[in-house]
Amino acid sequence: AVGLLAPSLAKAAADDPLPSWNDSRSKTAILDFVGRVTKEGGSDFVPVEDRIAVFDNDGTLWSEQPAYFQFFFALARVKQLYPEHPEWENQQPFAAAISGDMKTLAESGEKGMATIVMATHAGMTTAEFAQLVVDWATTAKHPRFNRLFIDLVYQPMLDTLALLRQNGFKTYIVSGGGIEFMRPWTEKVYGIPPEQVVGSSIVTKFEMKDGKPVLMRLPKIDFIDDGPGKPVGINQFIGRRPIFAAGNSDGDLEMLQWVTGGQGPRFGMLVHHTDEKREWAYDRQSKVGRLDKALDAAVAAKWTVVDMKWDWAKIYPFGG
Amino acid sequence: AVGLLAPSLAKAAADDPLPSWNDSRSKTAILDFVGRVTKEGGSDFVPVEDRIAVFDNDGTLWSEQPAYFQFFFALARVKQLYPEHPEWENQQPFAAAISGDMKTLAESGEKGMATIVMATHAGMTTAEFAQLVVDWATTAKHPRFNRLFIDLVYQPMLDTLALLRQNGFKTYIVSGGGIEFMRPWTEKVYGIPPEQVVGSSIVTKFEMKDGKPVLMRLPKIDFIDDGPGKPVGINQFIGRRPIFAAGNSDGDLEMLQWVTGGQGPRFGMLVHHTDEKREWAYDRQSKVGRLDKALDAAVAAKWTVVDMKWDWAKIYPFGG
Ligand SMILES: [Ca+2]
Ligand SMILES: [Ca+2]
């Protein structure tokens, strides 16, 4: 009997469109939704052009601890630029960034962070910045796993992206992170092309430089794609109301409200970080990726709250 | 011999991917470019993902005389709203708009125009605004042709859009016009979906209204997608550098410089309005769609300047 069973089990595994998900309620909910919106003639059928899915990035598609990965990039840039800026030795928050004094850095708060971002992300062309990001993404490693940061993406979410695309969905990133920090690698890592990445931005300016047209990055905030900014960014960039949204923090609350508040079938997902062993466990008290109000809202709104520990058979593609 | 020739001529016409273009240099240039970038193994081959084409809208894809069509929409809105705003009777530029005093209206300049746009385009949700645009687009007629404004699109440009898409190009609009004024009808009219429309915008704000999430349109400029703003908008929305750009005025100069200034094969097109009889003739002195600096730049940059009168066998789909 075992010999007879094995091949059909193997086949079931091969046919499983979400192999990195355990057979729990979350997986069933995703499969059920995709089945309903793609069933021609069904009451929940959605035409292909309206199958738009949006995903937060930090903490939803890849990890975000002990700090947003873009922050590691900014710190690396501070160290890179330090030789040209000896004055930083006595200037906060740069001194803390150079010496790795994370406590002082954290105390510098949002203002300190903005100072570092502007000093490290502006003052070059868009092409130069993209190259800096590529150089970092292909070499910089996460301190805990000693793996490239771009290796710390969630295999179950890659499965979900693939399943949605196989079913005619257009998949977008809608992230509070920098749009130009993501675009150089999202196609390779997530299969999401640059034109389907929405994010925060600084002002750019068209200039002729040595007779060549360039776009210069200026140290000035243009758009913050977080919280109530996410539905605004979705409307601005996509111009359609998505029917599927996934996030992991209070910064995704308005996006989930906007997406699931429309007519017809809608899917809202919150990734809840519950796996201290394989990843990290945090929610209501966390400084990074706080999940509090949105967790409460999920109950009333019937969003699917993914429990990483129980729902995910695998966390990272490398098997972690 | 005639009998033998006729079928092959008929076949040639049917096979012609640009049937509304006369067999002139402009047509040849487009066909040659498309042939080169799609020839696998050729030195000018461009992978499908980089085949991005951007088109200005007013004066490039549809007419723009005697005034931008969005201006007609704004005037219709003023008349619609007048009953709720009796004070407009004694207030410029509204009084001029109501009485049809185009001279006074023109004299109110950009400031007057902005006043009218803010009064007529803001103060409602994005969904309400989209409905107003649809209502206008499906009923309002152009005074000269007594046709819907959306009928006044250029058949040769529809041919060009179709040819590019058949060859793997993603086609975008990049217009100084309002992004939300275009999106409700561009898919039907041009085959360009909302997410491939870049335009000027006013600020929108996420709100809960009677327990439902909405995006409110506020009377404040967000982004002007014109002149040096066009390469900025392209970078922000698309995140790739297009290889094909078409425009018709000095507002497209920086977009053409940006697109054709990149490496590899590039195509720049300027539509020159030379046909007073079938459309309009205007360039260096025109208030609407002035083509002056860009026309000079076209020579040095080897952009294709389309002469509407000579290059286009047909102007509008309805045969005009
Ligand atoms: Ca997040
Ligand atoms: Ca134009």
Side-chain angles (χ1 to χ4, degrees):
Chain A
V2 170
L4 286 170
L5 203 64
S8 92
L9 272 179
K11 188 181 178 307
D15 289 347
D16 186 348
L18 295 175
S20 303
W21 290 73
N22 290 321
D23 288 321
S24 60
R25 211 156 51 172
S26 296
K27 178 176 182 167
T28 306
I30 299 168
L31 292 173
D32 171 67
F33 176 77
V34 172
R36 283 188 290 120
V37 300
T38 55
K39 194 188 168 188
E40 287 196 48
S43 62
D44 280 349
F45 178 75
V46 174
V48 166
E49 62 267 28
D50 290 322
R51 292 184 205 157
I52 308 277
V54 288
F55 291 80
D56 168 61
N57 186 38
D58 299 307
T60 299
L61 295 180
W62 72 349
S63 292
E64 60 181 353
Q65 296 288 359
Y68 293 127
F69 293 177
Q70 189 173 357
F71 181 61
F72 285 94
F73 166 74
L75 289 191
R77 287 277 303 143
V78 168
K79 286 176 188 167
Q80 231 171 24
L81 293 168
Y82 180 36
E84 302 164 36
H85 293 274
E87 75 279 11
W88 285 354
E89 198 186 338
N90 304 306
Q91 233 174 9
Q92 292 300 5
F94 298 106
I98 292 155
S99 66
D101 177 357
M102 297 310 244
K103 193 170 161 285
T104 304
L105 209 49
E107 283 164 9
S108 76
E110 284 200 12
K111 205 182 153 205
M113 206 67 81
T115 305
I116 284 183
V117 168
M118 290 312 170
T120 57
H121 285 56
M124 74 283 280
T125 69
T126 50
E128 286 162 353
F129 184 73
Q131 189 57 52
L132 291 170
V133 172
V134 167
D135 292 345
W136 177 84
T138 52
T139 57
K141 290 186 174 175
H142 189 281
R144 174 171 163 189
F145 293 93
N146 197 32
R147 287 265 176 181
L148 294 182
F149 287 96
I150 55 170
D151 287 343
L152 269 65
V153 296
Y154 306 134
Q155 185 60 50
M157 296 306 280
L158 298 181
D159 289 1
T160 306
L161 288 168
L163 170 69
L164 290 171
R165 289 194 289 257
Q166 279 155 19
N167 284 278
F169 278 78
K170 221 166 175 172
T171 54
Y172 284 81
I173 289 174
V174 177
S175 167
I179 189 167
E180 307 238 28
F181 172 73
M182 298 181 281
R183 280 174 163 167
W185 50 269
T186 54
E187 184 145 37
K188 189 168 164 264
V189 174
Y190 302 131
I192 296 179
E195 63 267 30
Q196 286 162 224
V197 177
V198 182
S200 298
S201 53
I202 59 177
V203 173
T204 61
K205 188 170 175 287
F206 178 84
E207 278 178 19
M208 295 300 287
K209 198 178 163 184
D210 308 324
K212 290 264 179 196
V214 296
L215 289 169
M216 290 301 296
R217 291 170 58 81
L218 307 187
K220 193 182 162 197
I221 293 288
D222 174 46
F223 175 60
I224 299 289
D225 189 45
D226 198 30
K230 287 202 176 192
V232 170
I234 288 170
N235 182 65
Q236 176 80 337
F237 281 74
I238 310 177
R240 299 193 208 253
R241 197 158 174 176
I243 62 166
F244 182 111
N248 79 303
S249 82
D250 286 357
D252 301 308
L253 178 57
E254 289 87 353
M255 174 170 81
L256 283 160
Q257 288 175 325
W258 173 243
V259 169
T260 64
Q263 298 256 304
R266 305 276 158 168
F267 196 91
M269 178 195 290
L270 275 176
V271 175
H272 190 188
H273 293 260
T274 52
D275 196 327
E276 199 161 14
K277 213 168 154 189
R278 294 184 299 171
E279 208 242 4
W280 284 269
Y282 57 97
D283 45 34
R284 295 184 192 274
Q285 307 299 326
S286 181
K287 283 206 169 175
V288 173
R290 175 169 306 182
L291 177 61
D292 184 28
K293 284 181 193 166
L295 198 53
D296 295 334
V299 181
K302 294 182 183 161
W303 298 332
T304 294
V305 179
V306 172
D307 184 322
M308 283 179 77
K309 189 171 179 177
W310 294 105
D311 288 339
W312 288 1
K314 194 177 179 178
I315 304 278
Y316 300 123
F318 58 83
Chain B
V2 171
L4 285 172
L5 202 62
S8 92
L9 270 180
K11 189 179 177 308
D15 289 347
D16 185 349
L18 295 175
S20 303
W21 290 74
N22 290 322
D23 288 321
S24 60
R25 210 156 54 171
S26 296
K27 177 176 182 168
T28 306
I30 299 168
L31 292 173
D32 171 68
F33 176 77
V34 172
R36 282 189 290 120
V37 300
T38 55
K39 194 186 170 189
E40 286 196 49
S43 62
D44 281 347
F45 178 76
V46 174
V48 167
E49 63 267 27
D50 290 321
R51 293 184 203 157
I52 308 275
V54 288
F55 291 81
D56 167 60
N57 186 39
D58 299 307
T60 298
L61 295 180
W62 73 350
S63 292
E64 61 181 353
Q65 296 288 0
Y68 293 129
F69 293 177
Q70 189 172 357
F71 181 62
F72 285 95
F73 167 74
L75 288 192
R77 288 279 301 143
V78 168
K79 285 176 189 168
Q80 232 170 23
L81 293 169
Y82 181 35
E84 301 163 35
H85 292 275
E87 76 278 12
W88 284 355
E89 198 185 337
N90 304 306
Q91 234 174 5
Q92 291 300 6
F94 298 106
I98 293 157
S99 66
D101 177 357
M102 299 308 246
K103 192 168 162 282
T104 304
L105 210 50
E107 283 165 9
S108 76
E110 285 201 10
K111 206 182 155 206
M113 208 64 85
T115 305
I116 284 183
V117 167
M118 290 314 170
T120 55
H121 285 57
M124 75 283 280
T125 69
T126 50
E128 287 162 351
F129 184 73
Q131 189 56 54
L132 290 171
V133 172
V134 167
D135 291 345
W136 176 84
T138 52
T139 57
K141 290 186 174 175
H142 189 282
R144 172 171 165 190
F145 293 94
N146 198 32
R147 288 265 178 183
L148 294 181
F149 286 97
I150 56 170
D151 287 342
L152 270 65
V153 297
Y154 305 133
Q155 185 61 48
M157 297 307 281
L158 298 180
D159 289 0
T160 306
L161 287 167
L163 169 71
L164 290 170
R165 289 194 290 257
Q166 280 155 18
N167 284 280
F169 278 79
K170 221 167 176 172
T171 53
Y172 284 82
I173 289 173
V174 177
S175 167
I179 188 167
E180 306 236 30
F181 173 72
M182 297 181 281
R183 281 173 162 168
W185 51 267
T186 54
E187 184 145 35
K188 190 171 163 262
V189 174
Y190 301 132
I192 297 179
E195 62 268 29
Q196 285 162 229
V197 176
V198 182
S200 298
S201 53
I202 60 176
V203 173
T204 63
K205 188 170 174 287
F206 178 85
E207 278 178 20
M208 295 301 287
K209 198 179 164 184
D210 308 326
K212 289 265 179 195
V214 295
L215 290 170
M216 290 301 298
R217 290 170 59 80
L218 307 187
K220 193 182 163 197
I221 292 290
D222 174 47
F223 175 60
I224 299 289
D225 189 46
D226 197 30
K230 287 202 174 191
V232 170
I234 287 169
N235 183 64
Q236 176 80 338
F237 281 74
I238 310 178
R240 301 193 205 252
R241 195 157 175 176
I243 63 167
F244 182 109
N248 79 302
S249 80
D250 286 357
D252 300 308
L253 177 59
E254 289 87 351
M255 173 170 82
L256 283 160
Q257 288 174 325
W258 174 244
V259 169
T260 64
Q263 298 257 303
R266 305 276 156 167
F267 196 90
M269 178 195 290
L270 275 176
V271 175
H272 190 188
H273 293 261
T274 52
D275 196 328
E276 201 163 13
K277 213 167 153 191
R278 294 184 300 170
E279 208 241 5
W280 284 269
Y282 56 96
D283 46 33
R284 296 184 191 272
Q285 307 299 327
S286 180
K287 283 207 168 175
V288 173
R290 175 171 306 183
L291 176 62
D292 183 29
K293 284 182 193 165
L295 196 54
D296 294 334
V299 180
K302 294 184 185 161
W303 298 332
T304 295
V305 179
V306 171
D307 185 322
M308 284 179 77
K309 188 171 179 177
W310 294 105
D311 288 340
W312 288 3
K314 195 175 177 177
I315 304 278
Y316 300 123
F318 58 82

